[in-house]
Amino acid sequence: MTWLEPLRSSVPELDTPAWTSLERFDAALGELSSAAPAHHDAAAWSAWLLQLRHELAARRHRAPTGPAGPVWQTLAQFLAGARDLDLRDCTGAGHGAMVLTHAPTAIARAWDERLRAGELIGIAATERHGGSRIREITTRARPGRGGTWRLTGEKCWVSRLTEAAAFVVFVRDPDARISAVLVDADDPRAERDVIEPFGLGGWSWGALRLHDLPVDPATALLGAPGNGLEIFHQHFARFRPLVTATALGTAAGVHALVADALAARRSTGILPRVRDNALIALGRTHAEITAALLATVTTTRLAMIGHPAADLLARLGKAAGVDTAVQAVNNLAPLIGAAGFQRSHPVAKARADLTGLLYADGIHDSLYRSGGVSLLAGPANSRLATLTAAA
Ligand SMILES: Cc1cc2nc3c(=O)[nH]c(=O)nc-3n(C[C@H](O)[C@H](O)[C@H](O)COP(=O)(O)OP(=O)(O)OC[C@H]3O[C@@H](n4cnc5c(N)ncnc54)[C@H](O)[C@@H]3O)c2cc1C
């Protein structure tokens, strides 16, 4: 909370009870994290992360209702990221938000309960030809008996592969339009193939193959047929600020570790004084992380009210915010020397994990490029008023 306290006047939506609940959330994270297993035991670490999500849900650590909610969640994810980037799903519905918003009412209601209890929903959009080309997806839904759809295709680089209870899968529907359908993770016709990642390995990751898997569009289809891209963009306008805040939290966590290490070395006399290069790096990265976090909160607000610029700012903000976090950690890490290069060190883990976010939830050159396309759309004198998702 040390990092957030000075920013309190920038989040007037959070009244005293909301701020107190954020402090309680942070305290609970601290308490529960003390029992975390070592992260290099991938199975134990993943099980603990899922258990953490359930435990936080059971203790009712959740965003307040109303306009304070999304802002609270953005700051909560910053606090979670400061402990570990793998805590990227410890608040809210995550990708399950697509189900809550677009599934038929009875399905959405049932999932609301399950997600509130801590269950997880994954997203399966990326295919071998390239995740940055979602319009070209090939996973097919062909008509089956009695109005069912049968899904066939392969999704790759899917996160939450074994932890998710279901996936929102983007498919080409029987009319060749892109639609979003909910698929049960335990369906015997869904094959999951886990791959070892370089970082961000908290949730398992890999390929999801659908082998003529039957779904009933009356219950599994999200929104109307052909609404897939709209659902994708609307969801990521809200989800990307959460990712960005988590990444910035991770950079803030590294900042705190490095500052504490330097202060300890100075007070014990190991360092007679802290050199200017270290002081400058501490000051500059603090300012950069703070500025990016405030921009992220603004994007959260715009997404909440459905502002036309929200999608653009979420795309650019995710790329720029994660880049800020990566650069900050790269600048800070050498200040504590090779100790921070040990695989088991939190700084080394933060560096590897942040690398994963250069791809996950949108690869950066593609996000910047699509932002450029949006910025050039519309007549020159009214560009700001006509910002829409053009990518
Ligand atoms: C840790 C992690 C978690 C992930 N989780 C998920 C998940 O849960 N669900 C999911 O669906 N996906 C997930 N992904 C995949 C992620 O969304 C994709 O990596 C991302 O969308 C980019 O797709 P790609 O990797 O296929 O790269 P590509 O789309 O192939 O892009 C690679 C490069 O090619 C460039 N490129 C594209 N078109 C052209 C062109 N015409 N000419 C020249 N260059 C071009 C791109 O700009 C980019 O630089 C995850 C990835 C990671 C690393």
mmCIF file of all heavy atoms in Angstrom, residues 88 95 123-133 156-160 199-200 205 356 359-363 365-366, ligand 1:
data_model
loop_
_atom_site.group_PDB
_atom_site.id
_atom_site.type_symbol
_atom_site.label_atom_id
_atom_site.label_comp_id
_atom_site.label_asym_id
_atom_site.label_seq_id
_atom_site.Cartn_x
_atom_site.Cartn_y
_atom_site.Cartn_z
ATOM 1 N N ARG A 88 -1.810 -13.134 -11.382
ATOM 2 C CA ARG A 88 -2.524 -12.268 -12.332
ATOM 3 C C ARG A 88 -4.017 -12.529 -12.385
ATOM 4 O O ARG A 88 -4.752 -11.760 -12.992
ATOM 5 C CB ARG A 88 -1.894 -12.371 -13.728
ATOM 6 C CG ARG A 88 -1.913 -13.762 -14.341
ATOM 7 C CD ARG A 88 -1.032 -13.809 -15.584
ATOM 8 N NE ARG A 88 -0.793 -15.155 -16.044
ATOM 9 C CZ ARG A 88 -1.095 -15.602 -17.251
ATOM 10 N NH1 ARG A 88 -1.651 -14.792 -18.122
ATOM 11 N NH2 ARG A 88 -0.827 -16.837 -17.599
ATOM 12 N N HIS A 95 -11.203 -14.114 -17.561
ATOM 13 C CA HIS A 95 -11.809 -14.308 -18.888
ATOM 14 C C HIS A 95 -13.263 -14.771 -18.771
ATOM 15 O O HIS A 95 -14.028 -14.694 -19.738
ATOM 16 C CB HIS A 95 -10.985 -15.299 -19.712
ATOM 17 C CG HIS A 95 -9.636 -14.761 -20.093
ATOM 18 N ND1 HIS A 95 -9.479 -13.552 -20.742
ATOM 19 C CD2 HIS A 95 -8.381 -15.247 -19.907
ATOM 20 C CE1 HIS A 95 -8.194 -13.319 -20.940
ATOM 21 N NE2 HIS A 95 -7.505 -14.327 -20.434
ATOM 22 N N ILE A 123 -9.158 -18.658 -22.027
ATOM 23 C CA ILE A 123 -9.524 -18.178 -23.362
ATOM 24 C C ILE A 123 -8.671 -18.938 -24.373
ATOM 25 O O ILE A 123 -7.471 -19.136 -24.155
ATOM 26 C CB ILE A 123 -9.317 -16.648 -23.486
ATOM 27 C CG1 ILE A 123 -9.737 -16.142 -24.867
ATOM 28 C CG2 ILE A 123 -7.878 -16.240 -23.211
ATOM 29 C CD1 ILE A 123 -9.789 -14.617 -24.978
ATOM 30 N N ALA A 124 -9.283 -19.388 -25.451
ATOM 31 C CA ALA A 124 -8.540 -20.112 -26.485
ATOM 32 C C ALA A 124 -8.823 -19.431 -27.821
ATOM 33 O O ALA A 124 -9.855 -19.683 -28.451
ATOM 34 C CB ALA A 124 -8.956 -21.576 -26.503
ATOM 35 N N ALA A 125 -7.917 -18.537 -28.201
ATOM 36 C CA ALA A 125 -8.082 -17.774 -29.443
ATOM 37 C C ALA A 125 -6.950 -18.070 -30.422
ATOM 38 O O ALA A 125 -7.173 -18.243 -31.617
ATOM 39 C CB ALA A 125 -8.122 -16.282 -29.125
ATOM 40 N N THR A 126 -5.713 -18.151 -29.899
ATOM 41 C CA THR A 126 -4.527 -18.223 -30.766
ATOM 42 C C THR A 126 -4.441 -19.555 -31.518
ATOM 43 O O THR A 126 -4.725 -20.608 -30.961
ATOM 44 C CB THR A 126 -3.255 -18.051 -29.904
ATOM 45 O OG1 THR A 126 -3.412 -16.887 -29.105
ATOM 46 C CG2 THR A 126 -2.017 -17.913 -30.764
ATOM 47 N N GLU A 127 -4.021 -19.461 -32.783
ATOM 48 C CA GLU A 127 -3.775 -20.671 -33.582
ATOM 49 C C GLU A 127 -2.382 -20.594 -34.191
ATOM 50 O O GLU A 127 -1.729 -19.551 -34.137
ATOM 51 C CB GLU A 127 -4.842 -20.796 -34.681
ATOM 52 C CG GLU A 127 -6.235 -20.999 -34.101
ATOM 53 C CD GLU A 127 -7.298 -21.197 -35.175
ATOM 54 O OE1 GLU A 127 -6.958 -21.191 -36.374
ATOM 55 O OE2 GLU A 127 -8.473 -21.355 -34.789
ATOM 56 N N ARG A 128 -1.953 -21.694 -34.786
ATOM 57 C CA ARG A 128 -0.575 -21.797 -35.305
ATOM 58 C C ARG A 128 -0.223 -20.694 -36.297
ATOM 59 O O ARG A 128 0.935 -20.291 -36.391
ATOM 60 C CB ARG A 128 -0.361 -23.148 -36.007
ATOM 61 C CG ARG A 128 -0.475 -24.337 -35.105
ATOM 62 C CD ARG A 128 0.832 -24.682 -34.413
ATOM 63 N NE ARG A 128 0.540 -25.616 -33.320
ATOM 64 C CZ ARG A 128 1.309 -25.787 -32.260
ATOM 65 N NH1 ARG A 128 2.413 -25.093 -32.111
ATOM 66 N NH2 ARG A 128 0.975 -26.638 -31.317
ATOM 67 N N HIS A 129 -1.192 -20.220 -37.072
ATOM 68 C CA HIS A 129 -0.856 -19.225 -38.103
ATOM 69 C C HIS A 129 -0.538 -17.860 -37.485
ATOM 70 O O HIS A 129 -0.053 -16.970 -38.176
ATOM 71 C CB HIS A 129 -2.010 -19.079 -39.102
ATOM 72 C CG HIS A 129 -3.252 -18.520 -38.475
ATOM 73 N ND1 HIS A 129 -4.257 -19.317 -38.007
ATOM 74 C CD2 HIS A 129 -3.627 -17.250 -38.202
ATOM 75 C CE1 HIS A 129 -5.214 -18.558 -37.481
ATOM 76 N NE2 HIS A 129 -4.846 -17.304 -37.581
ATOM 77 N N GLY A 130 -0.814 -17.669 -36.169
ATOM 78 C CA GLY A 130 -0.456 -16.405 -35.520
ATOM 79 C C GLY A 130 -1.610 -15.797 -34.747
ATOM 80 O O GLY A 130 -2.685 -15.557 -35.305
ATOM 81 N N GLY A 131 -1.359 -15.567 -33.457
ATOM 82 C CA GLY A 131 -2.394 -15.001 -32.590
ATOM 83 C C GLY A 131 -2.739 -13.571 -32.957
ATOM 84 O O GLY A 131 -3.820 -13.076 -32.629
ATOM 85 N N SER A 132 -1.800 -12.879 -33.640
ATOM 86 C CA SER A 132 -2.079 -11.488 -34.004
ATOM 87 C C SER A 132 -3.024 -11.424 -35.208
ATOM 88 O O SER A 132 -3.392 -10.337 -35.639
ATOM 89 C CB SER A 132 -0.767 -10.749 -34.307
ATOM 90 O OG SER A 132 -0.082 -11.383 -35.364
ATOM 91 N N ARG A 133 -3.404 -12.603 -35.752
ATOM 92 C CA ARG A 133 -4.308 -12.602 -36.921
ATOM 93 C C ARG A 133 -5.583 -13.372 -36.580
ATOM 94 O O ARG A 133 -5.934 -14.353 -37.238
ATOM 95 C CB ARG A 133 -3.574 -13.212 -38.122
ATOM 96 C CG ARG A 133 -2.474 -12.278 -38.635
ATOM 97 C CD ARG A 133 -1.347 -13.019 -39.310
ATOM 98 N NE ARG A 133 -1.797 -13.815 -40.436
ATOM 99 C CZ ARG A 133 -1.116 -14.852 -40.927
ATOM 100 N NH1 ARG A 133 0.027 -15.210 -40.377
ATOM 101 N NH2 ARG A 133 -1.585 -15.520 -41.954
ATOM 102 N N CYS A 156 -3.379 -22.828 -29.749
ATOM 103 C CA CYS A 156 -2.060 -23.015 -29.134
ATOM 104 C C CYS A 156 -1.722 -21.871 -28.182
ATOM 105 O O CYS A 156 -2.371 -20.829 -28.199
ATOM 106 C CB CYS A 156 -0.985 -23.194 -30.194
ATOM 107 S SG CYS A 156 -0.948 -21.907 -31.408
ATOM 108 N N TRP A 157 -0.720 -22.111 -27.366
ATOM 109 C CA TRP A 157 -0.204 -21.160 -26.363
ATOM 110 C C TRP A 157 -1.308 -20.739 -25.385
ATOM 111 O O TRP A 157 -1.357 -19.595 -24.958
ATOM 112 C CB TRP A 157 0.426 -19.920 -27.017
ATOM 113 C CG TRP A 157 1.232 -20.176 -28.245
ATOM 114 C CD1 TRP A 157 1.134 -19.518 -29.437
ATOM 115 C CD2 TRP A 157 2.276 -21.141 -28.416
ATOM 116 N NE1 TRP A 157 2.030 -20.021 -30.335
ATOM 117 C CE2 TRP A 157 2.748 -21.018 -29.740
ATOM 118 C CE3 TRP A 157 2.851 -22.112 -27.596
ATOM 119 C CZ2 TRP A 157 3.766 -21.821 -30.254
ATOM 120 C CZ3 TRP A 157 3.861 -22.915 -28.109
ATOM 121 C CH2 TRP A 157 4.308 -22.755 -29.411
ATOM 122 N N VAL A 158 -2.179 -21.670 -25.063
ATOM 123 C CA VAL A 158 -3.318 -21.360 -24.188
ATOM 124 C C VAL A 158 -2.893 -21.475 -22.723
ATOM 125 O O VAL A 158 -2.346 -22.499 -22.299
ATOM 126 C CB VAL A 158 -4.494 -22.318 -24.475
ATOM 127 C CG1 VAL A 158 -5.633 -22.094 -23.487
ATOM 128 C CG2 VAL A 158 -4.977 -22.143 -25.908
ATOM 129 N N SER A 159 -3.156 -20.428 -21.972
ATOM 130 C CA SER A 159 -2.822 -20.398 -20.552
ATOM 131 C C SER A 159 -3.993 -20.930 -19.724
ATOM 132 O O SER A 159 -5.109 -20.988 -20.223
ATOM 133 C CB SER A 159 -2.525 -18.947 -20.175
ATOM 134 O OG SER A 159 -1.738 -18.903 -19.029
ATOM 135 N N ARG A 160 -3.753 -21.292 -18.490
ATOM 136 C CA ARG A 160 -4.769 -21.854 -17.575
ATOM 137 C C ARG A 160 -5.255 -23.202 -18.113
ATOM 138 O O ARG A 160 -6.404 -23.581 -17.927
ATOM 139 C CB ARG A 160 -5.963 -20.900 -17.391
ATOM 140 C CG ARG A 160 -5.566 -19.485 -17.013
ATOM 141 C CD ARG A 160 -6.670 -18.472 -17.236
ATOM 142 N NE ARG A 160 -6.202 -17.114 -17.021
ATOM 143 C CZ ARG A 160 -5.587 -16.385 -17.960
ATOM 144 N NH1 ARG A 160 -5.390 -16.871 -19.171
ATOM 145 N NH2 ARG A 160 -5.167 -15.170 -17.680
ATOM 146 N N GLY A 199 8.766 -18.434 -18.799
ATOM 147 C CA GLY A 199 8.376 -17.673 -17.603
ATOM 148 C C GLY A 199 6.865 -17.658 -17.529
ATOM 149 O O GLY A 199 6.190 -18.265 -18.362
ATOM 150 N N LEU A 200 6.324 -16.962 -16.542
ATOM 151 C CA LEU A 200 4.874 -16.871 -16.361
ATOM 152 C C LEU A 200 4.260 -18.276 -16.329
ATOM 153 O O LEU A 200 3.241 -18.545 -16.955
ATOM 154 C CB LEU A 200 4.255 -16.024 -17.491
ATOM 155 C CG LEU A 200 2.929 -15.317 -17.183
ATOM 156 C CD1 LEU A 200 3.072 -14.352 -16.007
ATOM 157 C CD2 LEU A 200 2.402 -14.568 -18.390
ATOM 158 N N TRP A 205 0.294 -24.196 -19.542
ATOM 159 C CA TRP A 205 0.263 -23.501 -20.835
ATOM 160 C C TRP A 205 0.470 -24.514 -21.946
ATOM 161 O O TRP A 205 1.247 -25.457 -21.776
ATOM 162 C CB TRP A 205 1.415 -22.499 -20.789
ATOM 163 C CG TRP A 205 1.616 -21.568 -21.922
ATOM 164 C CD1 TRP A 205 0.796 -20.560 -22.316
ATOM 165 C CD2 TRP A 205 2.769 -21.506 -22.770
ATOM 166 N NE1 TRP A 205 1.368 -19.873 -23.355
ATOM 167 C CE2 TRP A 205 2.571 -20.429 -23.651
ATOM 168 C CE3 TRP A 205 3.945 -22.249 -22.872
ATOM 169 C CZ2 TRP A 205 3.507 -20.080 -24.624
ATOM 170 C CZ3 TRP A 205 4.877 -21.899 -23.836
ATOM 171 C CH2 TRP A 205 4.653 -20.819 -24.701
ATOM 172 N N GLY A 356 6.875 -13.037 -20.616
ATOM 173 C CA GLY A 356 5.678 -13.715 -21.135
ATOM 174 C C GLY A 356 4.583 -12.733 -21.505
ATOM 175 O O GLY A 356 3.826 -12.946 -22.462
ATOM 176 N N TYR A 359 3.949 -11.183 -24.986
ATOM 177 C CA TYR A 359 3.163 -11.933 -25.983
ATOM 178 C C TYR A 359 1.707 -12.078 -25.523
ATOM 179 O O TYR A 359 0.787 -11.844 -26.292
ATOM 180 C CB TYR A 359 3.718 -13.352 -26.163
ATOM 181 C CG TYR A 359 5.196 -13.455 -26.451
ATOM 182 C CD1 TYR A 359 6.144 -13.320 -25.435
ATOM 183 C CD2 TYR A 359 5.644 -13.714 -27.744
ATOM 184 C CE1 TYR A 359 7.500 -13.432 -25.699
ATOM 185 C CE2 TYR A 359 6.995 -13.833 -28.020
ATOM 186 C CZ TYR A 359 7.919 -13.687 -26.988
ATOM 187 O OH TYR A 359 9.254 -13.799 -27.252
ATOM 188 N N ALA A 360 1.553 -12.549 -24.263
ATOM 189 C CA ALA A 360 0.210 -12.869 -23.777
ATOM 190 C C ALA A 360 -0.673 -11.626 -23.798
ATOM 191 O O ALA A 360 -0.204 -10.522 -23.508
ATOM 192 C CB ALA A 360 0.295 -13.425 -22.355
ATOM 193 N N ASP A 361 -1.936 -11.813 -24.159
ATOM 194 C CA ASP A 361 -2.923 -10.733 -24.203
ATOM 195 C C ASP A 361 -2.559 -9.651 -25.220
ATOM 196 O O ASP A 361 -2.915 -8.486 -25.067
ATOM 197 C CB ASP A 361 -3.142 -10.129 -22.798
ATOM 198 C CG ASP A 361 -3.463 -11.220 -21.786
ATOM 199 O OD1 ASP A 361 -4.332 -12.052 -22.105
ATOM 200 O OD2 ASP A 361 -2.838 -11.267 -20.721
ATOM 201 N N GLY A 362 -1.825 -10.064 -26.250
ATOM 202 C CA GLY A 362 -1.506 -9.162 -27.358
ATOM 203 C C GLY A 362 -0.017 -8.912 -27.471
ATOM 204 O O GLY A 362 0.600 -8.374 -26.547
ATOM 205 N N ILE A 363 0.575 -9.340 -28.618
ATOM 206 C CA ILE A 363 2.008 -9.127 -28.853
ATOM 207 C C ILE A 363 2.196 -7.638 -29.171
ATOM 208 O O ILE A 363 1.362 -7.019 -29.832
ATOM 209 C CB ILE A 363 2.492 -10.079 -29.982
ATOM 210 C CG1 ILE A 363 3.991 -10.245 -29.974
ATOM 211 C CG2 ILE A 363 1.992 -9.643 -31.355
ATOM 212 C CD1 ILE A 363 4.467 -11.475 -30.775
ATOM 213 N N ASP A 365 4.226 -5.401 -30.885
ATOM 214 C CA ASP A 365 4.293 -4.651 -32.153
ATOM 215 C C ASP A 365 2.917 -4.611 -32.810
ATOM 216 O O ASP A 365 2.501 -3.601 -33.377
ATOM 217 C CB ASP A 365 5.376 -5.210 -33.091
ATOM 218 C CG ASP A 365 5.156 -6.658 -33.508
ATOM 219 O OD1 ASP A 365 4.276 -7.324 -32.930
ATOM 220 O OD2 ASP A 365 5.873 -7.125 -34.413
ATOM 221 N N SER A 366 2.177 -5.703 -32.647
ATOM 222 C CA SER A 366 0.830 -5.759 -33.216
ATOM 223 C C SER A 366 -0.118 -4.768 -32.528
ATOM 224 O O SER A 366 -0.946 -4.124 -33.181
ATOM 225 C CB SER A 366 0.289 -7.169 -33.007
ATOM 226 O OG SER A 366 -0.086 -7.725 -34.189
HETATM 227 C C1 LIG B 1 2.625 -16.738 -21.547
HETATM 228 C C2 LIG B 1 1.633 -16.710 -22.662
HETATM 229 C C3 LIG B 1 0.296 -16.918 -22.369
HETATM 230 C C4 LIG B 1 -0.641 -16.929 -23.411
HETATM 231 N N1 LIG B 1 -1.943 -17.206 -23.121
HETATM 232 C C5 LIG B 1 -2.843 -17.346 -24.127
HETATM 233 C C6 LIG B 1 -4.181 -17.759 -23.849
HETATM 234 O O1 LIG B 1 -4.558 -17.985 -22.705
HETATM 235 N N2 LIG B 1 -5.027 -17.904 -24.900
HETATM 236 C C7 LIG B 1 -4.657 -17.660 -26.193
HETATM 237 O O2 LIG B 1 -5.476 -17.796 -27.088
HETATM 238 N N3 LIG B 1 -3.382 -17.265 -26.483
HETATM 239 C C8 LIG B 1 -2.478 -17.113 -25.486
HETATM 240 N N4 LIG B 1 -1.185 -16.739 -25.758
HETATM 241 C C9 LIG B 1 -0.804 -16.482 -27.130
HETATM 242 C C10 LIG B 1 -0.667 -14.990 -27.413
HETATM 243 O O3 LIG B 1 -1.940 -14.384 -27.442
HETATM 244 C C11 LIG B 1 0.070 -14.886 -28.755
HETATM 245 O O4 LIG B 1 1.410 -15.246 -28.506
HETATM 246 C C12 LIG B 1 -0.006 -13.512 -29.364
HETATM 247 O O5 LIG B 1 -1.329 -13.188 -29.736
HETATM 248 C C13 LIG B 1 0.861 -13.448 -30.627
HETATM 249 O O6 LIG B 1 0.580 -14.513 -31.467
HETATM 250 P P1 LIG B 1 1.769 -15.476 -31.960
HETATM 251 O O7 LIG B 1 2.608 -15.841 -30.808
HETATM 252 O O8 LIG B 1 1.138 -16.566 -32.728
HETATM 253 O O9 LIG B 1 2.654 -14.558 -32.882
HETATM 254 P P2 LIG B 1 2.296 -14.042 -34.352
HETATM 255 O O10 LIG B 1 0.907 -13.552 -34.428
HETATM 256 O O11 LIG B 1 2.732 -15.081 -35.326
HETATM 257 O O12 LIG B 1 3.257 -12.814 -34.434
HETATM 258 C C14 LIG B 1 4.679 -12.990 -34.436
HETATM 259 C C15 LIG B 1 5.285 -11.808 -35.154
HETATM 260 O O13 LIG B 1 4.862 -11.807 -36.506
HETATM 261 C C16 LIG B 1 4.422 -10.511 -36.831
HETATM 262 N N5 LIG B 1 3.531 -10.549 -37.994
HETATM 263 C C17 LIG B 1 2.207 -10.792 -38.056
HETATM 264 N N6 LIG B 1 1.768 -10.681 -39.331
HETATM 265 C C18 LIG B 1 2.849 -10.367 -40.075
HETATM 266 C C19 LIG B 1 3.062 -10.101 -41.447
HETATM 267 N N7 LIG B 1 2.058 -10.142 -42.329
HETATM 268 N N8 LIG B 1 4.317 -9.807 -41.853
HETATM 269 C C20 LIG B 1 5.354 -9.766 -40.995
HETATM 270 N N9 LIG B 1 5.203 -9.998 -39.683
HETATM 271 C C21 LIG B 1 3.976 -10.288 -39.223
HETATM 272 C C22 LIG B 1 3.789 -9.998 -35.564
HETATM 273 O O14 LIG B 1 3.632 -8.592 -35.578
HETATM 274 C C23 LIG B 1 4.823 -10.474 -34.561
HETATM 275 O O15 LIG B 1 5.926 -9.614 -34.524
HETATM 276 C C24 LIG B 1 -0.231 -16.702 -24.748
HETATM 277 C C25 LIG B 1 1.120 -16.475 -25.028
HETATM 278 C C26 LIG B 1 2.041 -16.483 -23.998
HETATM 279 C C27 LIG B 1 3.492 -16.264 -24.320
#
